[in-house]
Amino acid sequence: MNNVKIAGIGAYLPSLVVTNDRISELVETNDEWIVQRTGVSERRISEGENTSDIATKAAKIALERAGVDAKDLELIIVATISPDMFIPSAACLVQSNLDADKAACFDISVACSGFVYALEIAKGLMNSMNYKNALVVGAEVLSKVTDWTDRGTCILFGDGGGAAVLKQSETKGIIKSYLRADGKKGNALTIGGPDIDTPFSKEKILKDKYIKMNGREVFKFAVGAIEEAVNEVIKDTNISLEEIKYIVPHQANSRIIELAAAKLNLNIDKFYINLDKVANTSSATVPIALNEMYEKGLLKKGDKIILVAFGGGLTYGSTLLEW
Ligand SMILES: CC(C)(COP(=O)(O)OP(=O)(O)OC[C@H]1O[C@@H](n2cnc3c(N)ncnc32)[C@H](O)[C@@H]1OP(=O)(O)O)[C@@H](O)C(=O)NCCC(=O)NCCS
């Protein structure tokens, strides 16, 4: 098995900042409630850019930092639950934007755990197909699937994208992943698909077009999922939690992260948190956070890091990597 590492990271956020006060003009809520219950103060919202536009902008930064020409990419995976359309995939749209003519392209639908899943899928394909370079993106325009009249959900989400260029490498890079799901709990967080209403359907089945969520159930699941995924990914690796420099969690709610940290008996400072300004961008939270850490100079060669995510599906997972 060849080693695969993140050789370049990038992110892009739409420029429009939507504060909690602005949201309180849309639904019955207020800044204090949102900050206290979630930790979110503001989020970026697209004024028309679609998922593939955001993904492409993040990808260009990651490619430049990795020193990789888009023409040398052999694989593009976009993790998203808000693609521009069913066909072509967001990955094919990104390929076209980048002129990455050699790449195999597909999207994966794993909700907020998408980036973590995509890293391991890319690593596997880079090994089985002997690809030298791959692009993994998490990108979302959740604002288009948000019910802006539902105060239980519209306060939580934002738009944005993050991208990583992966290369085969001498150093360890992605050491291990832990990927799981609990499909029986899927109803706790849904976005409906097209209606079933054809000349042949026995009855009309009309689907919700927007995010629907049982917040309390997702909250409970999330705390346990982080604890399990962090413990499992270091199991049998000879790496202890003390040796982990940072845990980069999915940025859904600061209370979820604080409770998980307490259960793991870890200082909250080990967790990188940026959700106050970015909110929950689903598959994009982890690469956006990694990009911020990179830009702040926090990531040093050899640092051991755990990425951990959970979300719709319900899915969850983690990646242990050496920077
Ligand atoms: C959504 C979430 C913030 C709600 O917080 P909560 O503490 O569970 O709040 P509840 O849903 O129990 O609601 C408590 C009260 O606040 C009210 N409320 C809900 N949203 C509100 C809002 N935006 N502003 C003001 N009040 C609100 C409720 O109506 C309820 O009022 P009631 O007691 O009079 O009925 C929280 O459950 C959560 O973050 N869950 C996880 C969601 C998540 O991370 N999803 C994405 C996963 S990838």
Side-chain angles (χ1 to χ4, degrees):
M1 177 83 93
N2 292 312
N3 292 325
V4 167
K5 71 165 183 190
I6 295 180
I9 186 96
Y12 174 79
L13 297 170
S15 56
L16 180 69
V17 174
V18 174
T19 61
N20 290 344
D21 284 340
R22 178 69 183 93
I23 292 201
S24 70
E25 293 167 16
L26 306 175
V27 290
E28 185 66 39
T29 189
N30 58 74
D31 178 59
E32 195 191 347
W33 193 96
I34 302 173
V35 170
Q36 216 173 62
R37 299 290 178 116
T38 71
V40 175
S41 304
E42 58 188 50
R43 70 286 292 140
R44 303 297 187 91
I45 298 291
S46 164
E47 294 172 277
E49 288 169 301
N50 216 330
T51 301
S52 65
D53 304 317
I54 287 174
T56 302
K57 286 179 178 162
K60 282 184 175 164
I61 298 169
L63 283 163
E64 198 190 319
R65 288 179 179 161
V68 170
D69 192 323
K71 292 206 167 8
D72 295 325
L73 286 174
E74 294 159 292
L75 173 68
I76 299 176
I77 304 176
V78 176
T80 185
I81 47 164
S82 54
D84 303 37
M85 53 189 112
F86 286 146
I87 302 172
S89 65
C92 283
L93 297 172
V94 169
Q95 174 191 35
S96 170
N97 292 340
L98 295 175
D99 293 322
D101 303 334
K102 270 201 326 209
C105 299
F106 60 92
D107 291 357
I108 62 166
S109 173
V110 199
C112 309
S113 317
F115 185 78
V116 163
Y117 266 62
L119 285 178
E120 185 62 34
I121 296 168
K123 181 183 170 185
L125 278 172
M126 289 173 80
N127 269 287
S128 64
M129 306 289 281
N130 199 27
Y131 295 149
K132 300 277 182 289
N133 302 301
L135 174 68
V136 170
V137 186
E140 308 284 0
V141 177
L142 295 176
S143 56
K144 68 188 177 188
V145 289
T146 297
D147 177 353
W148 290 101
T149 66
D150 175 14
R151 69 177 181 173
T153 54
C154 76
I155 57 164
L156 297 173
F157 300 103
D159 299 334
V165 171
L166 306 187
K167 274 190 191 171
Q168 284 193 10
S169 78
E170 301 295 313
T171 53
K172 276 201 186 122
I174 297 167
I175 298 169
K176 188 182 159 195
S177 298
Y178 178 74
L179 308 176
R180 298 300 291 265
D182 187 351
K184 290 205 170 80
K185 294 197 177 125
N187 270 337
L189 180 52
T190 58
I191 304 174
D195 300 334
I196 301 185
D197 182 15
T198 72
F200 312 103
S201 49
K202 287 187 184 143
E203 54 180 320
K204 282 186 190 178
I205 301 179
L206 304 178
K207 303 278 198 152
D208 288 316
K209 299 288 177 289
Y210 299 114
I211 298 169
K212 283 258 178 297
M213 186 182 70
N214 178 334
R216 284 189 184 181
E217 200 174 318
V218 175
F219 193 106
K220 219 168 59 193
F221 163 80
V223 175
I226 295 179
E227 185 189 11
E228 177 185 326
V230 167
N231 281 329
E232 289 292 333
V233 82
I234 57 163
K235 210 160 130 182
D236 306 324
T237 61
N238 295 324
I239 297 170
S240 69
L241 270 184
E242 289 68 48
E243 288 171 70
I244 302 297
K245 181 89 177 285
Y246 292 107
I247 297 181
V248 186
H250 172 49
Q251 309 281 324
N253 183 318
S254 49
R255 285 189 299 141
I256 290 175
I257 301 170
E258 283 156 15
L259 280 170
K263 275 179 171 274
L264 286 160
N265 220 2
L266 290 174
N267 192 315
I268 191 73
D269 293 344
K270 222 188 237 303
F271 290 73
Y272 188 82
I273 304 176
N274 69 345
L275 60 86
D276 57 326
K277 295 270 184 279
V278 189
N280 182 346
T281 55
S282 192
S283 65
T285 61
V286 169
I288 289 172
L290 268 181
N291 177 69
E292 238 184 65
M293 295 167 78
Y294 171 80
E295 290 182 348
K296 286 183 180 167
L298 296 178
L299 301 172
K300 305 273 187 290
K301 198 168 161 28
D303 282 351
K304 303 227 175 19
I305 295 165
I306 292 175
L307 316 178
V308 60
F310 56 87
L314 298 177
T315 58
Y316 57 115
S318 49
T319 315
L320 172 64
L321 54 87
E322 191 178 291
W323 193 255

Coordinates of all heavy atoms in Angstrom, one line a residue, residues 37-106:
R37 N -27.0 28.4 22.1 CA -27.4 27.0 21.8 C -26.5 26.4 20.7 O -26.4 25.1 20.6 CB -28.8 26.9 21.2 CG -29.9 27.4 22.2 CD -30.0 26.4 23.4 NE -31.1 26.9 24.3 CZ -32.2 26.3 24.5 NH1 -32.5 25.2 24.0 NH2 -33.1 26.9 25.3
T38 N -25.8 27.2 19.9 CA -25.0 26.6 18.8 C -23.6 27.1 18.7 O -22.7 26.4 18.1 CB -25.7 26.9 17.4 OG1 -25.5 28.3 17.1 CG2 -27.2 26.6 17.4
G39 N -23.3 28.3 19.1 CA -22.0 28.9 19.0 C -21.8 29.7 17.7 O -20.8 30.3 17.4
V40 N -22.9 29.6 16.8 CA -22.8 30.3 15.5 C -23.2 31.8 15.7 O -24.2 32.1 16.3 CB -23.7 29.7 14.5 CG1 -23.7 30.4 13.2 CG2 -23.3 28.2 14.3
S41 N -22.3 32.7 15.1 CA -22.6 34.1 15.1 C -23.0 34.6 13.7 O -23.9 35.5 13.5 CB -21.4 35.0 15.5 OG -21.0 34.6 16.7
E42 N -22.4 34.0 12.7 CA -22.7 34.4 11.3 C -22.3 33.3 10.4 O -21.6 32.3 10.8 CB -21.9 35.7 11.0 CG -20.4 35.6 11.1 CD -19.7 36.9 10.9 OE1 -20.1 37.9 11.6 OE2 -18.7 37.0 10.2
R43 N -22.8 33.4 9.2 CA -22.4 32.4 8.1 C -22.3 33.1 6.8 O -22.8 34.2 6.6 CB -23.5 31.3 8.1 CG -24.8 31.6 7.5 CD -25.7 32.4 8.5 NE -26.2 31.7 9.7 CZ -26.3 32.3 10.9 NH1 -26.0 33.6 11.0 NH2 -26.7 31.7 11.9
R44 N -21.7 32.5 5.8 CA -21.6 33.0 4.5 C -22.7 32.4 3.6 O -22.9 31.2 3.7 CB -20.2 32.7 3.8 CG -19.0 33.2 4.6 CD -19.1 34.7 4.7 NE -17.8 35.2 5.4 CZ -16.7 35.5 4.7 NH1 -16.7 35.5 3.4 NH2 -15.6 35.9 5.3
I45 N -23.3 33.2 2.8 CA -24.4 32.7 2.0 C -24.2 33.1 0.5 O -23.9 34.2 0.2 CB -25.8 33.2 2.5 CG1 -26.1 32.7 3.9 CG2 -26.9 32.8 1.5 CD1 -26.3 31.2 4.1
S46 N -24.4 32.1 -0.4 CA -24.2 32.4 -1.8 C -25.3 33.3 -2.3 O -26.5 33.2 -1.9 CB -24.4 31.0 -2.5 OG -24.6 31.3 -3.9
E47 N -24.9 34.3 -3.1 CA -25.8 35.2 -3.8 C -26.1 34.7 -5.2 O -26.6 35.4 -6.0 CB -25.3 36.6 -3.8 CG -25.2 37.2 -2.4 CD -24.5 38.5 -2.4 OE1 -23.2 38.5 -2.4 OE2 -25.2 39.5 -2.4
G48 N -25.7 33.5 -5.5 CA -25.9 33.0 -6.9 C -24.9 31.9 -7.3 O -25.1 31.2 -8.3
E49 N -23.7 31.9 -6.7 CA -22.7 30.9 -7.0 C -23.3 29.6 -6.7 O -23.9 29.4 -5.6 CB -21.4 31.2 -6.2 CG -20.7 32.4 -6.6 CD -19.6 32.7 -5.6 OE1 -19.9 33.0 -4.5 OE2 -18.4 32.7 -6.0
N50 N -23.0 28.6 -7.5 CA -23.5 27.2 -7.2 C -22.4 26.4 -6.7 O -21.2 26.9 -6.6 CB -24.1 26.6 -8.5 CG -25.3 25.8 -8.1 OD1 -25.4 25.2 -7.0 ND2 -26.3 25.6 -9.0
T51 N -22.7 25.2 -6.3 CA -21.7 24.3 -5.6 C -20.5 24.1 -6.4 O -19.3 24.2 -5.9 CB -22.4 23.0 -5.3 OG1 -23.5 23.3 -4.5 CG2 -21.5 22.0 -4.6
S52 N -20.6 23.9 -7.7 CA -19.4 23.6 -8.6 C -18.5 24.9 -8.7 O -17.3 24.8 -8.8 CB -19.8 23.1 -9.9 OG -20.5 24.1 -10.7
D53 N -19.2 26.1 -8.7 CA -18.4 27.3 -8.7 C -17.5 27.4 -7.5 O -16.3 27.7 -7.6 CB -19.3 28.5 -8.8 CG -20.3 28.5 -9.9 OD1 -19.9 28.1 -11.0 OD2 -21.5 28.8 -9.7
I54 N -18.1 27.2 -6.3 CA -17.4 27.2 -5.0 C -16.3 26.2 -5.0 O -15.2 26.4 -4.6 CB -18.4 27.1 -3.9 CG1 -19.3 28.4 -3.8 CG2 -17.8 26.8 -2.6 CD1 -20.4 28.4 -2.8
A55 N -16.7 25.0 -5.4 CA -15.7 23.8 -5.4 C -14.5 24.2 -6.3 O -13.4 23.9 -5.9 CB -16.4 22.6 -5.9
T56 N -14.8 24.8 -7.5 CA -13.7 25.1 -8.4 C -12.7 26.1 -7.8 O -11.5 26.0 -7.9 CB -14.3 25.6 -9.7 OG1 -15.2 24.6 -10.3 CG2 -13.2 25.9 -10.7
K57 N -13.3 27.1 -7.1 CA -12.4 28.2 -6.5 C -11.6 27.6 -5.4 O -10.4 27.9 -5.3 CB -13.3 29.3 -6.0 CG -13.8 30.1 -7.2 CD -14.7 31.3 -6.7 CE -15.2 32.1 -7.9 NZ -16.3 32.9 -7.7
A58 N -12.1 26.7 -4.6 CA -11.3 26.1 -3.5 C -10.3 25.2 -4.1 O -9.1 25.2 -3.7 CB -12.3 25.3 -2.6
A59 N -10.6 24.5 -5.2 CA -9.7 23.5 -5.8 C -8.5 24.3 -6.4 O -7.4 23.8 -6.3 CB -10.4 22.7 -6.9
K60 N -8.8 25.4 -7.0 CA -7.6 26.1 -7.7 C -6.6 26.5 -6.7 O -5.4 26.4 -6.9 CB -8.2 27.4 -8.4 CG -8.8 27.1 -9.7 CD -9.3 28.3 -10.5 CE -9.8 27.9 -11.8 NZ -10.6 29.0 -12.5
I61 N -7.0 26.9 -5.5 CA -6.1 27.3 -4.4 C -5.3 26.1 -4.0 O -4.1 26.1 -3.8 CB -6.8 27.9 -3.2 CG1 -7.5 29.2 -3.7 CG2 -5.9 28.2 -2.1 CD1 -8.5 29.8 -2.7
A62 N -6.0 25.0 -3.8 CA -5.3 23.7 -3.3 C -4.3 23.2 -4.3 O -3.2 22.8 -4.0 CB -6.4 22.6 -3.0
L63 N -4.7 23.3 -5.6 CA -3.8 22.9 -6.7 C -2.5 23.7 -6.7 O -1.4 23.2 -6.8 CB -4.5 23.0 -8.1 CG -5.5 21.9 -8.4 CD1 -6.4 22.3 -9.5 CD2 -4.7 20.6 -8.7
E64 N -2.7 25.0 -6.6 CA -1.5 25.9 -6.6 C -0.6 25.6 -5.4 O 0.6 25.5 -5.6 CB -2.0 27.4 -6.5 CG -0.9 28.3 -7.0 CD -1.3 29.8 -6.7 OE1 -2.5 30.1 -6.9 OE2 -0.4 30.5 -6.2
R65 N -1.2 25.4 -4.2 CA -0.4 25.2 -3.0 C 0.3 23.8 -3.1 O 1.4 23.6 -2.6 CB -1.2 25.2 -1.8 CG -1.6 26.7 -1.5 CD -2.5 26.7 -0.2 NE -2.8 28.1 0.1 CZ -3.8 28.5 0.8 NH1 -4.6 27.6 1.4 NH2 -4.1 29.8 1.1
A66 N -0.3 22.9 -3.8 CA 0.3 21.5 -4.0 C 1.3 21.5 -5.1 O 2.1 20.6 -5.3 CB -0.8 20.5 -4.3
G67 N 1.3 22.6 -5.9 CA 2.2 22.6 -7.1 C 1.8 21.5 -8.1 O 2.7 21.0 -8.8
V68 N 0.5 21.3 -8.2 CA 0.0 20.3 -9.2 C -0.8 21.0 -10.3 O -1.6 21.9 -10.0 CB -0.8 19.2 -8.5 CG1 -1.6 18.3 -9.5 CG2 0.0 18.4 -7.5
D69 N -0.5 20.6 -11.5 CA -1.2 21.2 -12.6 C -2.5 20.4 -12.8 O -2.5 19.1 -12.7 CB -0.4 21.0 -13.9 CG -0.9 21.7 -15.1 OD1 -2.2 21.8 -15.2 OD2 -0.1 22.3 -15.9
A70 N -3.7 21.1 -13.0 CA -5.0 20.4 -13.1 C -4.9 19.3 -14.1 O -5.6 18.2 -14.0 CB -6.1 21.4 -13.4
K71 N -4.1 19.5 -15.2 CA -4.0 18.5 -16.3 C -3.4 17.2 -15.8 O -3.6 16.1 -16.4 CB -3.2 19.0 -17.4 CG -3.8 20.2 -18.1 CD -3.3 20.4 -19.5 CE -4.1 21.3 -20.4 NZ -5.2 22.1 -19.8
D72 N -2.8 17.2 -14.6 CA -2.2 16.0 -14.1 C -3.0 15.3 -13.1 O -2.7 14.2 -12.5 CB -0.8 16.3 -13.4 CG 0.2 16.7 -14.5 OD1 0.1 16.2 -15.6 OD2 1.0 17.6 -14.2
L73 N -4.2 15.8 -12.8 CA -5.2 15.1 -11.9 C -5.7 13.9 -12.6 O -6.1 13.9 -13.7 CB -6.3 16.1 -11.5 CG -6.0 17.2 -10.5 CD1 -7.3 18.1 -10.4 CD2 -5.6 16.7 -9.2
E74 N -5.7 12.8 -11.8 CA -6.3 11.6 -12.3 C -7.6 11.2 -11.7 O -8.3 10.2 -12.1 CB -5.3 10.4 -12.1 CG -4.0 10.7 -13.0 CD -2.8 9.9 -12.4 OE1 -2.3 10.2 -11.3 OE2 -2.4 9.0 -13.1
L75 N -8.0 11.9 -10.7 CA -9.2 11.6 -10.0 C -9.8 12.9 -9.3 O -9.0 13.7 -8.7 CB -8.9 10.6 -8.9 CG -10.0 10.3 -7.9 CD1 -11.2 9.5 -8.6 CD2 -9.5 9.4 -6.7
I76 N -11.1 13.1 -9.5 CA -11.8 14.2 -8.8 C -13.0 13.6 -8.1 O -13.9 13.1 -8.7 CB -12.2 15.4 -9.7 CG1 -11.0 16.0 -10.4 CG2 -13.0 16.4 -8.9 CD1 -11.4 17.0 -11.5
I77 N -13.0 13.8 -6.7 CA -14.2 13.4 -6.0 C -14.8 14.6 -5.3 O -14.0 15.4 -4.6 CB -13.9 12.4 -4.9 CG1 -13.2 11.1 -5.5 CG2 -15.2 11.9 -4.2 CD1 -12.8 10.1 -4.4
V78 N -16.1 14.9 -5.5 CA -16.7 16.0 -4.8 C -17.7 15.4 -3.8 O -18.6 14.6 -4.2 CB -17.4 17.0 -5.7 CG1 -18.2 18.1 -4.9 CG2 -16.4 17.7 -6.7
A79 N -17.5 15.7 -2.5 CA -18.5 15.3 -1.5 C -19.5 16.4 -1.4 O -19.1 17.5 -1.1 CB -17.8 15.0 -0.2
T80 N -20.8 16.1 -1.7 CA -21.8 17.2 -1.6 C -23.2 16.6 -1.4 O -23.5 15.5 -2.0 CB -21.7 18.1 -2.8 OG1 -22.6 19.2 -2.6 CG2 -22.0 17.4 -4.1
I81 N -24.0 17.3 -0.7 CA -25.5 17.0 -0.7 C -26.3 18.1 -1.4 O -27.5 18.1 -1.4 CB -26.0 16.7 0.7 CG1 -25.5 17.9 1.6 CG2 -25.6 15.4 1.2 CD1 -26.3 18.0 2.9
S82 N -25.6 19.0 -2.0 CA -26.3 20.1 -2.7 C -25.6 20.4 -4.1 O -25.2 21.5 -4.3 CB -26.2 21.4 -1.8 OG -24.9 21.7 -1.5
P83 N -25.5 19.3 -4.9 CA -24.9 19.5 -6.2 C -25.7 20.4 -7.1 O -26.9 20.6 -6.8 CB -24.9 18.1 -6.8 CG -26.0 17.3 -6.1 CD -26.1 17.9 -4.7
D84 N -25.1 21.0 -8.1 CA -25.8 21.9 -9.0 C -27.0 21.2 -9.6 O -28.1 21.8 -9.8 CB -24.9 22.3 -10.2 CG -23.6 23.0 -9.7 OD1 -23.0 22.6 -8.7 OD2 -23.2 23.9 -10.4
M85 N -26.9 19.9 -9.9 CA -27.9 19.1 -10.6 C -27.6 17.7 -10.4 O -26.5 17.3 -9.9 CB -28.0 19.5 -12.1 CG -26.7 19.4 -12.8 SD -26.8 20.1 -14.4 CE -25.7 21.6 -14.3
F86 N -28.5 16.8 -10.8 CA -28.2 15.3 -10.7 C -27.1 14.9 -11.7 O -26.2 14.2 -11.4 CB -29.5 14.5 -11.1 CG -30.5 14.5 -10.0 CD1 -31.9 14.5 -10.3 CD2 -30.1 14.6 -8.6 CE1 -32.8 14.5 -9.3 CE2 -31.1 14.6 -7.6 CZ -32.4 14.5 -7.9
I87 N -27.3 15.4 -12.9 CA -26.3 15.1 -14.0 C -26.0 16.4 -14.8 O -27.0 17.1 -15.1 CB -26.8 14.1 -15.0 CG1 -27.2 12.8 -14.3 CG2 -25.8 13.8 -16.1 CD1 -27.9 11.8 -15.3
P88 N -24.8 16.8 -15.0 CA -23.6 16.1 -14.6 C -23.3 16.3 -13.1 O -23.8 17.2 -12.5 CB -22.5 16.8 -15.4 CG -23.1 17.8 -16.3 CD -24.5 18.0 -15.9
S89 N -22.4 15.4 -12.6 CA -22.0 15.5 -11.2 C -21.3 16.8 -11.0 O -20.7 17.4 -12.0 CB -21.2 14.3 -10.8 OG -19.9 14.4 -11.6
A90 N -21.2 17.3 -9.8 CA -20.4 18.4 -9.5 C -18.9 18.2 -9.8 O -18.2 19.1 -10.3 CB -20.5 18.8 -8.0
A91 N -18.5 16.9 -9.7 CA -17.1 16.6 -10.0 C -16.8 16.8 -11.5 O -15.8 17.3 -11.9 CB -16.8 15.2 -9.6
C92 N -17.8 16.4 -12.3 CA -17.6 16.6 -13.8 C -17.6 18.1 -14.1 O -16.9 18.6 -15.0 CB -18.7 15.9 -14.6 SG -18.4 14.1 -14.7
L93 N -18.4 18.9 -13.4 CA -18.5 20.3 -13.7 C -17.1 21.0 -13.2 O -16.6 21.8 -14.0 CB -19.6 21.0 -12.9 CG -21.0 20.5 -13.4 CD1 -22.1 21.1 -12.4 CD2 -21.3 21.0 -14.8
V94 N -16.6 20.5 -12.1 CA -15.3 21.0 -11.7 C -14.2 20.6 -12.7 O -13.3 21.4 -13.0 CB -15.0 20.5 -10.3 CG1 -13.5 20.8 -9.9 CG2 -15.9 21.1 -9.2
Q95 N -14.3 19.4 -13.1 CA -13.3 18.9 -14.1 C -13.3 19.8 -15.3 O -12.2 20.3 -15.8 CB -13.6 17.5 -14.6 CG -12.7 17.0 -15.7 CD -13.1 15.7 -16.4 OE1 -14.3 15.5 -16.5 NE2 -12.2 14.9 -16.8
S96 N -14.5 20.1 -15.8 CA -14.6 21.0 -17.0 C -14.0 22.4 -16.7 O -13.3 23.0 -17.5 CB -16.1 21.1 -17.4 OG -16.2 22.0 -18.4
N97 N -14.4 23.0 -15.5 CA -13.9 24.3 -15.2 C -12.3 24.3 -15.1 O -11.7 25.3 -15.4 CB -14.4 24.7 -13.8 CG -15.9 25.0 -13.9 OD1 -16.5 25.2 -14.9 ND2 -16.6 25.0 -12.7
L98 N -11.7 23.2 -14.6 CA -10.3 23.2 -14.4 C -9.5 22.7 -15.6 O -8.3 22.7 -15.6 CB -10.0 22.2 -13.2 CG -10.5 22.6 -11.8 CD1 -10.1 21.5 -10.8 CD2 -9.8 23.9 -11.4
D99 N -10.2 22.2 -16.6 CA -9.6 21.5 -17.8 C -8.7 20.3 -17.3 O -7.6 20.1 -17.8 CB -8.6 22.5 -18.6 CG -9.5 23.5 -19.3 OD1 -10.6 23.2 -19.8 OD2 -9.0 24.7 -19.3
A100 N -9.3 19.6 -16.3 CA -8.5 18.4 -15.8 C -8.9 17.2 -16.6 O -9.6 16.3 -16.1 CB -8.9 18.3 -14.3
D101 N -8.5 17.2 -17.8 CA -9.0 16.2 -18.8 C -8.8 14.8 -18.5 O -9.4 13.9 -19.1 CB -8.5 16.6 -20.2 CG -8.9 18.0 -20.6 OD1 -9.9 18.5 -20.0 OD2 -8.2 18.7 -21.4
K102 N -7.7 14.5 -17.7 CA -7.4 13.1 -17.5 C -8.1 12.4 -16.3 O -7.9 11.2 -16.1 CB -5.9 13.0 -17.1 CG -5.0 12.9 -18.4 CD -3.6 12.3 -18.1 CE -2.9 12.7 -16.8 NZ -1.5 12.7 -16.8
A103 N -8.9 13.2 -15.6 CA -9.4 12.7 -14.3 C -10.7 11.9 -14.4 O -11.6 12.2 -15.2 CB -9.7 13.9 -13.4
A104 N -10.8 10.8 -13.6 CA -12.1 10.1 -13.4 C -12.8 11.0 -12.4 O -12.2 11.6 -11.5 CB -11.8 8.8 -12.8
C105 N -14.1 11.1 -12.5 CA -14.9 12.1 -11.7 C -16.2 11.5 -11.2 O -16.9 10.9 -11.9 CB -15.3 13.3 -12.6 SG -13.9 14.2 -13.2
F106 N -16.4 11.7 -9.9 CA -17.8 11.4 -9.4 C -18.0 12.1 -8.1 O -17.1 12.6 -7.4 CB -17.9 9.9 -9.2 CG -16.9 9.2 -8.2 CD1 -17.2 9.1 -6.9 CD2 -15.7 8.8 -8.7 CE1 -16.3 8.5 -6.0 CE2 -14.8 8.2 -7.8 CZ -15.1 8.1 -6.5

